[in-house]
Amino acid sequence: MMDAETLAVFRAEAEGLVESLESNLLALKDAPRDRALIDGAFRDLHTLKGTGAMFGRADIASFLHDFETAFDRVRDGSVEVTPDLLSVALAARDHVVALLSAEPAEGADRAGAAILSRLAALMGTPAAPGAAPDAGPWHATFRLPADTAALGGRPELVLEELRRLGARTIRARTGDVPPLDRLDPVCLYLGWEAEIDATATEDDIRGAFLFHEDGLQLSLTPPAAPDATAPPPRGPEPPQHRAPALMRVPAERLDEMMDRVGELVIAEARLNELAARFGDPGLVAVAEDIQRLATAMRDNTMSIRMTPIGAITGRFRRLVHDLSRELGKPLALEVTGEETELDKTVIERLADPLMHLIRNAADHGLEPPAARAAAGKPEEGRITLSARYSGAEVLVALSDDGGGLDRDRIRARAVERGLLAEDADPPDDALWKLIFEPGFSTAPAVTELSGRGVGMDVVRRTIEDLRGTIDVASAPGGGTTVTLRLPLTLAIIDGLLIDVAGERLVIPLAAVDEIVELPDSLADDDSGNAFLDIRSSLVPFLRLRRLLDSEGQPGAHQKVVVVTSGEGRVGLVVDRIIGSNQTVIKQLSPLHSGIKTFSGATILGDGAVALILDVPQLVARGRSDTDCQGEAAA
Amino acid sequence: MTDAAQFPGAARDVLTFRLGGEVLAVAATQLREVLEPAPVTRVPGAPAFSAGLINVRGAVVPLADLRVPLRMRHTPPGPDARILVLDLPLAGQQAIVGIHADAVHEVTRIGPADLEDIPTVGTRWPPRFVAAIGRWGGHFVTLPDLPAIFADFLSGQSGRSHLPGPTAAGQQDLEIS
C-alpha cells in the first residue's frame, strides 16, 4: 500500500488534474471545436493516467487508458464533440473521482465498463478488446541467478517472453549494481519488475522462467490485489504538462503560516511600544524596519490565501449542466467577476450555499420552457453568478430571469407557519427574508433537488457564520437576485483603535468613511436628535457608551466615526481616537460568539485583548432603529 | 455524569483550589497552566458567567466564573487569586477556557477510596454540575463537572443573539439618541 504521505501527494495531483479535465470538458460544451480545449482535455487524461500508473493505481490507469484511447478519436478529428459525448465524458470523470476515493463503491468495475462501452459506442469503435478492461495487471518482481550469463542464459529472452504475454511495463532494478571498479562483467546484478496484463495466467508467467528456476527469486502478485504485497512500482516520471511556477500546498500549512504572521504582527506592535517608550534612535529604527517587514509579510501571506472565486465556479457549471438535463429545462449559467478574490476559508465555505441557491433558482425560480415562451422570454433560462468588490466586502449575487418570488404564497405560508400575523403586511424585502427560515418552503411539490425547505436556512446560517449578510430582491416576472455580502478576510485587517470609557475597541478601517467632531449640541445623552448633518446628508448615529453599557460620563470632544456597510452609513460616537493598528482577528469562542455586536477580538501591543466591532451589524442596527423612529413619527 | 464514569476505578491526579470559600478540584489532565491575575477585557452584553476575555500566550481565551453556576458568594480577588487555564470541550470542539480561583493549593492524587457518593440533598449545588466529591486532607473537595456546566451554559445561550435588550438586563434597548 502507499503510505499516507504518498497517497496525499497522489490525491492532490489527481484532484487538480480531474478539476482541470472537468473545466475543459465543460468549456467544450460552448466551443465544441476548440482545439486548445480538446488538446487540454486529452493532456489531462494522459497525465492523470500517468500519475495513476506511477502511484501504482492500476485500476485508474487502466480505465483512463481506454478513456484516452476513445478520446483520441476526438483529437484526431474523426469524431465531433456532441452534448452526449460530453455527458459520457463527465460521467467518466465522475468515475475517476469515485476510484480516487478511499474505498471505491461496490460494482465500480462494472460501472466503469458501462461508461467505457457507452463512450466506445459514441466514438464508433468497438469496446476495448480482451478481458474486463479495468482488471489490474499482474505485478512480477524477479531476479535471475547471478551466474545466469556465465552459464549461457539470456535474460533478454525472458523479457521478450513476458512482453509477448502482455507486459505493459518492464523496469530494471539497478540498486545492486556495484561501482565500476568492482563490477564483474559476467555477473548479473540486475533485477526487474513488470506489469503484465491480467489476460496472462500464472502458469504462463511462471513458464517464462522455465530455464532459470534454480536460484530464481520471483514474487508474483495476482491482478485482484494489485498492490497488496508488491511495493508500488516506481519508474521515470511521465512527462508532465503543468504551469511551471505553480505549487500545490496543503491548506493547513497556509493556516499555520497565517497564525505565525499573526503572532509576528502582535510582537511587532509590542516592540513598537517599547521603542517609543525608550526613545532610543537605534531601537526606533529597528522597530520601524520590523514593522515594514511585518506589514509586507502580512500582505504576502494574505495574498497567498486569497483565492479567486473562479476556483469554485467550475463545479457550478457542472451543476447547471446536470440540472438542465434532470429538470428538462434549457439552462445557461453566466459567471462574471470570477477573478474576485476572497480569503480561502470564505471561498471554501461559500460553495455549499451557492450550490443551494443555484438549485433553488433552477428548480423554482426559472419557469418551464413553455411558460417562458408564453411570457415572451427566451426558452433558455439564465442564471447569473456575479462577484465584485465593495469596500471591505465582496458582493456575490446570484440572479435568475425567472418568474420572481410569489408574494402572496410566501405571505400565506408565513402566516400558516406563525411567522406573520394574519393582518401583517411587511415590505417586500422583509417578506423575502422569510424564505431563509428553517423549513420554509412554498414549493407545491418536493423534488429530488429542492422543495424540502432545508437548503435556504443552511444558506443563511453559513453566511452568518462568515459574518456576512443576505439581501433578496425580486420582481414579479422579472426574476430574483440574492446578494451575499461577505467580509474580504477573516484573518488580519487594518483597524482603527478607539477608546470608549477607558476601554479600547477596534473598528475595521476599511469600513471607516470619515471621522468628525460630535457637535456640542448633541454631546448630551438626552438630546433628542437622532441624526448628524454631515455636508447636508443625514447620518444616524449610535452612542457606543450606551451600546456597550459603559460607566461614567463622557468628557468633552467626543468623536463620531462614520462607517459604511453596503448602502448604509452610521456614525459611532466614541470618546477618543487612539490610532490605526494591524489587527489580527481572533474568533470568539462559542461562549461569546452569540454576541453579534462583535466580530472577533484582537491582542493589542501591550498584550491586552480588544474587541472588534461588527460594522454590518451596527449599520443594520442604526438603520432599523431609524426606521422604528420614522414609523413612530409617522 | 456519575463519578464512576469520570473516575473509573483508577486514582486521578487533580489540582485543588479554593473558590468562594470551598475547595474544588479539576483533573490535572484538563489543566494547561496556572496564571497570575491578568488584565481582563470586559465583553459588553455577555452574562456574568463568562464576562471577560484574557490573553493567554497570544490566544484570546474566555474567562469563566464558576461561582455563578455553583451559586457561590462573590468575594473580591485577594493576593492569592489565580486563573486556571483549562482544555475543555465546548460545543463539540476542544477549546481553551480560563476559570477564576481564589487560591491554588496543590496537585494531589484522589483514589476511588477517597470518593464519596454525591448526596442528593443538602448540597447547595445543582447535582448535575458535580462530577464527584472526595476527601483531601481534612476537607471535602468537590470536582465540578465542567463539561456539563459549560454545555448547560451554551444551551441557555443559543437563544441569545443581541446585547441585553429590555428583557435581558432590564435596560432600555438601544435607540438613536
Side-chain angles (χ1 to χ4, degrees), chain A residues 525-526 542-550 621 625 629, chain B residues 45 162-177:
Chain A
D525 211 346
D526 298 327
L542 302 170
R543 291 180 197 277
L544 287 189
R545 276 180 166 268
R546 185 180 291 189
L547 185 72
L548 302 177
D549 200 10
S550 307
R621 194 155 184 156
D625 288 0
Q629 288 207 341
Chain B
H162 285 289
L163 281 178
T167 47
Q171 273 188 336
Q172 284 277 304
D173 201 3
L174 184 91
E175 61 183 52
I176 303 273
S177 12

Side-chain angles (χ1 to χ4, degrees), chain A residues 373-403:
Chain A
K377 295 182 187 177
E379 279 197 8
E380 187 179 63
R382 181 158 287 274
I383 298 176
T384 311
L385 177 65
S386 70
R388 65 183 173 88
Y389 297 106
S390 164
E393 296 177 331
V394 167
L395 306 190
V396 179
L398 191 92
S399 330
D400 63 63
D401 66 347

